[in-house]
Amino acid sequence: MQLQILGRVCLSTDAGPVRLTELEHGLLALAALRGHVEVDSLAEWLWDGEPPSSVRNRVQALVSGIRRKAGAGLPVVVTDGRGYRLGDGVLVDLATWTREVTTARTRRGTDADAALAHYDAALALGEDPLRGAPGTGAVELERSRLLQERLAVVEERHDTALAAGAHEGLVPALEALCAHHPYHERFTALLMRALAATGRQHRALEVFHETRVLLDTELGVRPSEALVQAQRAVLAGSPAGSPAVLRLPVPRTLPRRPDGFVGRTAELAAVVRAADGLARGPVVVAVTGLPGSGKSALALEAGHALREHFPDGTLYHDGANAPGGVGVDAVVAAFLPLLGVHPEAVPASAPARSGMLRSLLDGRRVLVVLDNVAGEEAGSRLADLLPAAPGSMALVTSRRALDAVGTRHRVRLPSLDPASARTLLEALVGPDRVARSPEAVADVVRLTGAIPLALRLAAGRVAQRPDLGLDDLAERLQRKWSGAGADEIAVLHASLDRLLEGLAPEAREAVDALAHLSADAVSGWVVEAVTGDHVLGDAALDAMLEYGLVEPVVREDHDTQYRLHDLVRSHVRGRTGRGAEHGVDGADHPASRREAEVVAEAAVARSAVFLEDRPHRFLPVAARPSGLAAPDPLPRTRRRSRRFFRTETPLFVALARSVADVRPDLAWRLLADSALGTDASSDLHAWFEAEREVDASLREDDDGRLGAASLLLCRAWLLQDRRSVSREARELAEAARRRLLLLGASEAAAAASLVSSQASTSLGHRAEAEAAVRAAESVLTRTGDPNLAAWAAIARGTLHNDYDEIEDAAREFTRARDILRSSPRTVAYALATLELSRSRRRTGELAAATLLVDEALELLLEIEGVHMYSYALDARAEVSLAADRPEQALDESATALARASAARDAFLTARARRTHARALLALGRLEDAETALRTVVEEFTALDRPLSVAFAYQVLAAVLDARGDPVGASEALRLEQAALRRATASRTDAPQRRSPGPA
C-alpha cells in the first residue's frame, strides 16, 4: 500500500487508487509528515483551528472511512495511544525522497553520475506537494516548506551536473527555472555558468545584465555575491582580445494585430499555454478550421502575445491557401536574407538551403508563423520550415489537418460562441442596431454559422446602409439559404464548394445526409448507415474531420458524437434546394425522409443488440420488423448500453417523429427502445410529446395495434418509475395489459401487470396490487421470463415489507435473488438485494443488512445504476441510523438527497430527505428536523403516497415531543392514523398498524 504526498495526495492499493475525501487525504498527509497525530493537531491542520463541535467523533469517522474504503488488507491507520499513526505496511513517498536525497548528497563528491541519478529519482516523485489536502493555513505553510526544500535540491542537482560536465538539457532547464523564479539569483548564476560552458558567453553576460536591471527596477537591490562571481567567471573564461560576438539580425515580419478580434479565449490560451514547453524542446502548434473561421487572426494575435518569448525574431509567411502548395523552397529563400545571409551566399540546392535555415535557427529563440498552408507539397516538405531546437516555436494554420506537422498541440476553431458573435456584430454595425433587433441577431448568427468572416461579409452592406437593419440582413440571408436572392457571403460559399468537391463521393454523400437529419449531433454509426458500408463510413468520417466539416462532441457519460458545422449545414441545404419548397430544414423533402428512414432502420437494428446487455431493462423487447438486418459488424456492448441510450435517445425520438408517417413500424419501436434504455437524465417531456405524435400515425393493423399497446405500457412505466405519478400509471398499465393480452403479447402483458402492481402499492391499494401480481405470475408460469419473474417476486416482497410482514418480504427478495443468481448484473438483482437489506435491518440483523447494502452499492456502481444509487445510499444511511451512527447517517443521507434531487426523482428525493431528518433528530438538531419533515409530508402527499406520509408524521411526532410540544406531537399522531386509514381503505381486512415502517 502506497501513500503519495509530494504531488496530489493519493492512497493506492494493489486494486488502484482509493477514492478518499479531502479531509481523509489531509489526515493521512499529516500522519505521513509527523509520524503520530492527535486530535488537537488535526483540528489545526484540517479545520484551521475551528473544528466541528464533536471533533473527536469526526476524526474517528474519518479514520473509519479510510479503513473501510482501503479494504480488509494491511491496516492504513492504526490507533496509537490517544492518537493515530500510519500502518507499518504503508509506503510513503516522503521516505523515498529523504533516502534518495541523502544518497545523492553523499555521492555527489565521488560519483557525480550516480548522484545525478538519485537526485532525478527524488525530483520525479512530485512537483506540487499536498494537492488534494484541505487548504488550511497549516497545510499551506507545510506546502511552502516542502517547495523550498525541493528548490534547494534542484539547485544542488544542477550544480552537480555543471561541475560534472553533464550539460545536455541543462540550459533549457535552467532557463525555465529562471522564468518561474526570476528573483532566485542562484538559479541565474547557474544559468550563466551553463551558458558559458556551452560556448555562449555573450548570452551569459546578457542574462547578468537583464537580471541586474530587474533587481534594480523591481526590488532596488544590487546583484548578490553569487551573481557577481558568476559574471567574473564568465569574463575570465573569455580569451583576451577575442573578437566581439556577431549580432545576427532580429527579423520582425509578423503583420499587425487584427482589428476586432473577439472570442477565441480558450483557443488563444491553448496556443499561449503550448509555449510553456519551449524549454523542453521546439513547439509546433497546428490551427485548423473552416474557411473564414479566424485561423489567421488567431495566429497573429497569438504571435504578438508571445513576442517576448522570442527575442531572436519572428518569421511570417502567408500561403494564401494556394492550391499548388506552400512553396517551401521559395519560403526558405525568403527567410534566409532576413536572418543575415547575403543573397550571394544562399546555396543553390534546396536541401542545402533548408540545412542552412535549420543551422541559423539552432540555438535561437524564434517564432515561425506559416499561415494558410494548403496543397500536397506542404505534406512532404513542411518539416523543412519548422524549428528543431528548444526555445523556438511554429504556428501553422490550414483548412485541413496536416500529417507532416506531427504535433500534439492541435487547435481546432469552431464557430464563435453566441456572446462573441454578438460582440462582433456590435463592432460591425453598432450596438444600437444590435439592441433593436435581438431576434434578428440570433437569425444572422445562425444563418452565418457564427463564422467570423461570414459575419463580417454579411454585415458589411448593412454597415454602409443606415436604412437597413439586422432584420433586413436576416431576411436576405434566409432568401439565399432557401435558394433565392443575393448571396451576401458568396466568397465563403465558393470556398465551401471547393472544399466539398475535394471530398470522396462517400464523404460528400455523408455530408449531404447529415445536413438534412433532424439531429444536432450524430454518432459514427449514423455515417456508416447513410454510406451503407462500415469501411466507407469510417473513411467518410475521417475525411469530414480532416476538413473541419464536423466537430467532435465529447460529453461526460456519453459516447463521442459529431456535429456538422452550422455554416456547412445551411450551405448544403441551400445548394440542394431542399429548404425552398419543403420548410426551413427540408425535413419534408422526399430525399430527407429516405435518409431518415435509412438511419431509423439502422437505429432499430443497433438498439436491439444493446438492449440485450441493458441491465436496467424491465419491459420485454419488442420483436424487430421482418427483414431488418443486424448491424455489421456487431457493436461491442459490454458495459456500454447505458452510455449508448443516454447518447442516442434524442436521435431516436427525433427519428421517430420524422418517419412516423412513412414507417410507423420503425417509429414506435424507436420510442419503445428509448423508453427501455432511458435513465434519469433523459428528456421525458420530449419522449411523451413524440409518443402522442407517433401513436396518432399508427395504422389499424396488427403491428400498429401492438405498437399502440406497447407505447401505452412504456408511458405507464415511465410515469411510475421516473415521475411517481402512480394513479395515472395504474390506469394506463391496466389498459395496456388488456390490449396486449388480446394481441397475444403475454410477456408484455405480464410487465403491464407488474407496473400496475407497483403503482397500486405506491397508492396503498394492497388488494389491487396483489391481484396484479397474481395476474403477472399466471402469465409468467407459461413464458418463463426470469427477469420478469424476479420483478414479480420483488413486487410481492415490497407489499409484505410495506405491511410489516418482514419474514415474508425477506423470503420473496431472497427468491428474486435466487432467480437471477446466474445473471446478477441487473437492476432487478440489485433492488432485491437492497430490499432484503431493509428487511434484515428491520429485524435487527445489522451486520447482514450492511453486507447486503454494500453488495447492492457495488453492483449499482458496476452497472452504472445512477437512478437507483441514491436509493441505495438512503438504505445505507438507514442502516447507520439503526447502528447508532447518526453523523455517518447524516453524511450518507445528504449525498443521497443531492443525487436524487439532481436526477429530479421526486419520490427518492422525499425519501432521502426523510432519512436526513431522522439523522438530524438523532443528533438533537430538532428545528432542522422539523422543517425537513414538514417538507417531506408535502412531497409525499403530492405523490399520493399515504404509507410514506404516515411514517413521516410518525417521525414528526417524535421530533415535536422532543421539542416539548405535546399538542403538536398528538396532532401529528392523529394525522398519521388518518394517512394509515386512507392507505388501507381499499381493503377492509388490511392490518391497522401503529408503525408503518419506512415505506
Side-chain angles (χ1 to χ4, degrees):
M1 192 174 300
Q2 296 181 332
L3 176 62
Q4 172 184 315
I5 67 169
L6 294 180
R8 176 170 291 280
V9 181
C10 178
L11 177 68
S12 299
T13 66
D14 292 340
V18 180
R19 298 180 65 180
L20 300 177
T21 65
E22 183 178 79
L23 291 176
E24 291 167 343
H25 278 144
L27 189 152
L28 290 176
L30 186 61
L33 289 163
R34 301 288 186 268
H36 179 274
V37 294
E38 294 187 355
V39 172
D40 292 340
S41 60
L42 282 168
E44 185 70 28
W45 180 261
L46 297 179
W47 292 288
D48 253 347
E50 297 181 3
S53 57
S54 55
V55 61
R56 182 166 295 279
N57 291 340
R58 188 72 181 100
V59 170
Q60 290 173 350
L62 291 175
V63 172
S64 298
I66 294 171
R67 291 170 176 170
R68 184 182 71 253
K69 294 174 184 177
L74 293 172
V76 182
V77 182
V78 297
T79 303
D80 186 4
R82 294 180 57 82
Y84 302 94
R85 63 175 176 82
L86 295 178
D88 294 336
V90 180
L91 303 177
V92 183
D93 60 351
L94 183 62
T96 306
W97 161 274
T98 303
R99 184 174 62 255
E100 295 289 348
V101 170
T102 301
T103 305
R105 287 169 174 169
T106 302
R107 305 187 67 176
R108 65 184 299 199
T110 57
D111 189 347
D113 291 340
L116 288 174
H118 288 289
Y119 275 127
D120 291 340
L123 294 170
L125 292 173
E127 297 182 1
D128 189 6
L130 298 179
R131 282 185 298 130
T136 62
V139 172
E140 292 302 319
L141 186 63
E142 186 62 28
R143 190 198 316 275
S144 177
R145 185 190 70 78
L146 290 172
L147 286 172
Q148 291 302 318
E149 181 179 336
R150 188 180 193 281
L151 286 177
V153 172
V154 169
E155 181 184 342
E156 289 178 20
R157 187 262 178 224
H158 291 327
D159 187 54
T160 303
L162 191 59
H167 298 152
E168 184 175 354
L170 193 56
V171 169
L174 287 167
E175 284 179 330
L177 280 169
C178 292
H180 284 92
H181 306 280
Y183 304 109
H184 197 298
E185 295 179 63
R186 290 187 177 276
F187 284 157
T188 306
L190 285 172
L191 174 59
M192 291 172 59
R193 291 168 54 196
L195 288 167
T198 54
R200 285 177 278 181
Q201 289 88 348
H202 182 78
R203 177 57 189 149
L205 295 175
E206 284 184 340
V207 168
F208 177 82
H209 174 72
E210 292 165 359
T211 306
R212 182 176 60 187
V213 171
L214 176 69
L215 293 172
D216 182 55
T217 304
E218 299 294 331
L219 304 179
V221 298
R222 295 182 177 182
S224 66
E225 185 60 24
L227 267 181
V228 173
Q229 288 181 0
Q231 181 203 27
R232 290 170 182 165
V234 172
L235 291 172
S238 301
S242 61
V245 177
L246 177 65
R247 297 287 295 175
L248 295 177
V250 178
R252 296 290 183 189
T253 62
L254 201 64
R256 67 181 182 86
R257 267 188 166 97
D259 293 330
F261 183 82
V262 298
R264 306 303 187 205
T265 303
E267 292 83 1
L268 181 60
V271 178
V272 173
R273 192 164 53 247
D276 293 342
L278 287 170
R280 296 186 294 273
V283 173
V284 179
V285 179
V287 181
T288 57
L290 285 177
S293 58
K295 301 180 293 295
S296 300
L298 175 67
L300 294 177
E301 186 71 19
H304 285 285
L306 292 169
R307 176 188 175 94
E308 293 184 359
H309 288 69
F310 306 104
D312 297 322
T314 53
L315 297 168
Y316 175 81
H317 174 76
D318 183 4
N321 296 305
V326 74
V328 172
D329 289 338
V331 178
V332 171
F335 280 175
L336 289 176
L338 295 173
L339 295 169
V341 179
H342 192 277
E344 295 181 359
V346 175
S349 68
R353 287 196 296 271
S354 299
M356 176 176 280
L357 177 64
R358 285 193 294 271
S359 298
L360 289 171
L361 294 181
D362 186 61
R364 306 187 73 189
R365 297 167 64 181
V366 175
L367 172 66
V368 179
V369 178
L370 304 176
D371 198 13
N372 293 314
V373 173
E376 293 302 320
E377 183 181 356
S380 60
R381 298 284 314 283
L382 188 61
D384 288 345
L385 295 170
L386 303 179
S392 289
M393 181 174 179
L395 270 172
V396 184
T397 77
S398 61
R399 292 177 180 174
R400 55 180 293 189
L402 298 172
D403 295 335
V405 171
T407 177
R408 62 185 178 88
H409 301 291
R410 299 181 183 274
V411 178
R412 186 186 297 276
L413 293 189
S415 302
L416 288 175
D417 61 86
S420 297
R422 180 185 178 93
T423 300
L424 180 57
L425 275 178
E426 288 177 343
L428 295 171
V429 302
D432 292 340
R433 280 170 150 176
V434 170
R436 283 197 299 268
S437 308
E439 294 182 359
V441 170
D443 289 338
V444 170
V445 171
R446 174 177 57 84
L447 293 168
T448 57
I451 290 289
L453 181 58
L455 285 166
R456 292 179 185 277
L457 293 172
R461 186 165 182 268
V462 175
Q464 300 177 29
R465 290 279 303 273
D467 59 317
L468 296 180
L470 288 178
D471 49 351
D472 299 303
L473 175 58
E475 184 180 351
R476 288 172 62 86
L477 290 170
Q478 183 65 56
R479 285 201 302 269
K480 164 56 191 171
W481 193 71
S482 300
D487 191 353
E488 303 285 353
I489 53 175
V491 62
L492 270 180
H493 284 300
S495 295
L496 286 174
D497 277 333
R498 288 194 297 271
L499 207 59
L500 294 172
E501 288 165 3
L503 293 174
E506 62 271 10
R508 286 199 302 272
E509 178 184 1
V511 170
D512 187 72
L514 296 186
H516 295 94
L517 282 178
S518 53
D520 185 57
V522 298
S523 301
W525 64 266
V526 175
V527 182
E528 296 172 14
V530 298
T531 57
D533 181 88
H534 170 70
V535 175
L536 290 178
D538 210 33
L541 183 55
D542 286 342
M544 288 189 288
L545 278 168
E546 181 182 351
Y547 281 83
L549 301 171
V550 295
E551 300 168 352
V553 178
V554 180
R555 294 172 293 169
E556 187 177 1
D557 288 336
H558 287 69
D559 291 330
T560 299
Q561 292 188 291
Y562 300 92
R563 178 180 176 273
L564 193 67
H565 199 285
D566 288 338
L567 185 63
V568 178
R569 187 188 304 274
S570 63
H571 174 75
V572 171
R573 286 177 175 175
R575 190 175 66 167
T576 56
R578 299 192 194 180
E581 301 175 2
H582 301 279
V584 172
D585 62 0
D588 295 333
H589 193 282
S592 296
R593 288 198 296 270
R594 282 195 300 274
E595 290 153 354
E597 185 177 338
V598 167
V599 177
E601 286 183 343
V604 170
R606 199 171 193 85
S607 66
V609 181
F610 280 95
L611 284 172
E612 293 301 319
D613 185 53
R614 181 66 174 152
H616 296 238
R617 183 168 57 83
F618 171 67
L619 306 180
V621 182
R624 304 293 97 172
S626 59
L628 193 67
D632 182 26
L634 283 173
R636 297 188 301 275
T637 61
R638 177 67 175 164
R639 300 189 66 180
R640 290 183 56 210
S641 60
R642 175 174 172 269
R643 289 171 64 96
F644 174 81
F645 284 104
R646 180 182 280 251
T647 303
E648 306 301 348
T649 291
L651 174 64
F652 281 19
V653 172
L655 285 173
R657 302 178 76 164
S658 296
V659 303
D661 57 340
V662 291
R663 289 295 301 274
D665 60 322
L666 296 176
W668 76 260
R669 285 178 172 85
L670 283 168
L671 287 183
D673 289 355
S674 61
L676 269 59
T678 193
D679 59 27
S681 70
S682 300
D683 186 350
L684 292 185
H685 177 75
W687 190 95
F688 288 138
E689 290 295 317
E691 185 264 342
R692 293 189 185 93
E693 189 174 325
V694 171
D695 182 70
S697 70
L698 293 174
R699 298 162 186 162
E700 285 299 321
D701 55 17
D702 287 345
D703 189 77
R705 286 189 284 270
L706 177 62
S710 298
L711 291 181
L712 197 63
L713 171 56
C714 290
R715 176 179 278 268
W717 180 58
L718 291 174
L719 286 173
Q720 173 61 27
D721 191 62
R722 295 290 181 261
R723 296 274 180 87
S724 296
V725 185
S726 301
R727 198 172 300 280
E728 183 181 354
R730 184 182 62 181
E731 294 173 358
L732 294 175
E734 284 298 317
R737 181 184 64 82
R738 292 190 293 270
R739 295 191 194 183
L740 291 165
L741 282 175
L742 290 174
L743 292 166
S746 301
E747 289 186 355
S753 295
L754 292 177
V755 174
S756 178
S757 172
Q758 292 175 353
S760 297
T761 301
S762 300
L763 294 168
H765 298 173
R766 182 171 187 175
E768 287 88 341
E770 289 178 335
V773 175
R774 285 196 299 272
E777 290 174 335
S778 67
V779 173
L780 294 174
T781 55
R782 300 191 301 272
T783 63
D785 184 313
N787 188 57
L788 286 175
W791 279 107
I794 293 171
R796 277 199 177 279
T798 303
L799 268 172
H800 288 308
N801 203 40
D802 280 357
Y803 289 88
D804 283 347
E805 298 155 2
I806 309 302
E807 290 304 323
D808 291 337
R811 184 185 65 251
E812 292 297 333
F813 296 138
T814 301
R815 184 164 70 87
R817 280 164 51 90
D818 290 339
I819 292 171
L820 297 173
R821 185 72 64 182
S822 61
S823 56
R825 282 189 67 257
T826 63
V827 164
Y829 187 90
L831 181 59
T833 303
L834 203 53
E835 296 293 2
L836 183 58
S837 168
R838 291 180 61 203
S839 299
R840 297 302 182 216
R841 173 184 56 78
R842 296 183 68 188
T843 57
E845 302 170 79
L846 298 185
T850 300
L851 290 174
L852 286 165
V853 76
D854 286 346
E855 179 185 350
L857 282 165
E858 183 177 351
L859 178 58
L860 289 168
L861 273 178
E862 180 188 354
I863 63 177
E864 298 182 313
V866 175
H867 179 61
M868 288 287 300
Y869 198 76
S870 58
Y871 183 45
L873 285 174
D874 180 69
R876 188 161 71 178
E878 289 182 323
V879 173
S880 297
L881 272 176
D884 197 22
R885 297 192 298 268
E887 285 195 359
Q888 184 174 335
L890 190 70
D891 289 344
E892 291 164 345
S893 60
T895 304
L897 178 59
R899 293 180 72 116
S901 300
R904 293 178 294 181
D905 189 305
F907 173 70
L908 292 185
T909 298
R911 183 184 176 85
R913 196 188 312 278
R914 185 180 65 192
T915 305
H916 197 64
R918 293 174 63 203
L920 291 169
L921 169 61
L923 290 169
R925 294 168 56 181
L926 302 180
E927 184 177 354
D928 293 340
E930 180 183 350
T931 301
L933 285 166
R934 294 193 183 281
T935 302
V936 169
V937 168
E938 294 176 359
E939 291 172 329
F940 278 136
T941 301
L943 292 171
D944 205 3
R945 296 261 184 167
L947 289 176
S948 300
V949 170
F951 185 58
Y953 273 126
Q954 182 189 123
V955 182
L956 179 59
V959 171
L960 294 173
D961 186 60
R963 296 196 70 182
D965 183 5
V967 175
S970 177
E971 176 63 13
L973 292 175
R974 185 188 68 78
L975 292 171
E976 176 204 2
Q977 291 301 314
L980 281 174
R981 285 193 296 274
R982 179 167 169 263
T984 57
S986 63
R987 180 172 175 174
T988 57
D989 61 341
Q992 298 294 316
R993 301 183 299 154
R994 179 68 182 85
S995 302

